[in-house]
């Protein structure tokens, strides 16, 4: 199953981008024996539309265009469901075992995600009710995807209960 991160906004070169790359490289290596591939990042330019709502609509269309056919869509939103790392790992494994071809994790732009887009997502996930900068969300997501591979492989990186 292919894993994708679709994000509105581009990360500049620097330690944040390097940390994301490091976690995703680890996820690629750990994911192969588990049938998890890709761990690609699709970066989209922020819309320049005049209103927040118009920007969100344009960005939703652009995000949707990046999804592999039949992808499970996970929208990251502070109003989403907070779940633990083991639940996330088991959910990804269930999708893989159910024959899903891909999972796209979606990070919105500065205005957030368009509400109808969020309603259509298969899972709306929150890392916290706090609002986080785009770069930090991407770093946290990359780390959680790597952690997912370690949990599923029984690697000691995750020290759960």
């Amino acid at each position: 199953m292919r894993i994708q991160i679709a994000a509105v906004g581009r990360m500049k070169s620097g330690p944040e981008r390097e940390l994301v790359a490091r976690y995703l490289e680890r996820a690629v290596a750990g994911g192969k024996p588990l049938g998890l591939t890709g761990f690609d990042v699709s970066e989209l330019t922020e819309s320049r539309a005049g209103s927040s709502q118009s920007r969100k609509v344009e960005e939703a269309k652009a995000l949707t265009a990046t999804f592999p056919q039949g992808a499970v869509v996970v929208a990251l939103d502070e109003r989403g469901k907070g779940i633990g790392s083991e639940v996330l790992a088991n959910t990804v494994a269930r999708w893989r075992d159910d024959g899903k071809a891909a999972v796209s994790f979606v990070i919105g732009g500065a205005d957030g995600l368009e509400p109808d887009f969020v309603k259509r997502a298969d899972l709306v996930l929150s890392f916290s009710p706090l609002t986080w900068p785009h770069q930090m969300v991407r770093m946290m997501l990359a780390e959680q995807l790597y952690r997912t591979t370690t949990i599923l492989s029984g690697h000691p990186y995750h020290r759960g209960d």
Side-chain angles (χ1 to χ4, degrees):
M1 181 174 71
R2 181 176 163 207
I3 307 293
Q4 174 200 35
I5 297 173
V8 175
R10 300 188 187 279
M11 287 186 78
K12 296 177 183 168
S13 294
E16 298 91 353
R17 190 180 226 7
E18 292 170 14
L19 186 58
V20 169
R22 185 171 35 213
Y23 279 125
L24 293 180
E25 286 170 12
R26 291 176 183 176
V28 166
K32 273 185 189 175
L34 301 168
L36 302 175
T37 64
F39 297 94
D40 306 311
V41 178
S42 298
E43 291 184 323
L44 301 154
T45 304
E46 293 180 46
S47 168
R48 300 204 185 281
S51 72
S52 172
Q53 183 56 29
S54 296
R55 284 190 294 275
K56 290 191 279 190
V57 167
E58 284 184 10
E59 291 168 355
K61 287 179 186 175
L63 286 163
T64 302
T66 71
F67 300 159
Q69 186 172 354
V72 174
V73 176
V74 179
L76 276 72
D77 185 284
E78 69 269 13
R79 293 169 296 276
K81 183 178 183 179
I83 60 175
S85 298
E86 291 176 2
V87 172
L88 177 61
N90 291 328
T91 300
V92 168
R94 182 173 37 88
W95 288 330
R96 178 203 58 202
D97 296 346
D98 287 347
K100 303 295 183 188
V103 177
S104 294
F105 290 86
V106 182
I107 303 170
D111 296 307
L113 292 168
E114 198 272 327
D116 286 337
F117 177 90
V118 173
K119 287 179 191 170
R120 290 190 307 269
D122 297 287
L123 173 63
V124 183
L125 183 61
S126 173
F127 286 153
S128 165
L130 299 171
T131 301
W132 292 98
H134 174 271
Q135 296 87 346
M136 290 185 71
V137 171
R138 199 182 305 187
M139 287 186 294
M140 291 187 294
L141 176 58
E143 191 281 337
Q144 285 300 301
L145 292 173
Y146 168 61
R147 185 175 296 272
T148 290
T149 67
T150 66
I151 290 169
L152 295 178
S153 67
H155 187 282
Y157 176 78
H158 179 73
R159 292 185 175 108
D161 295 336

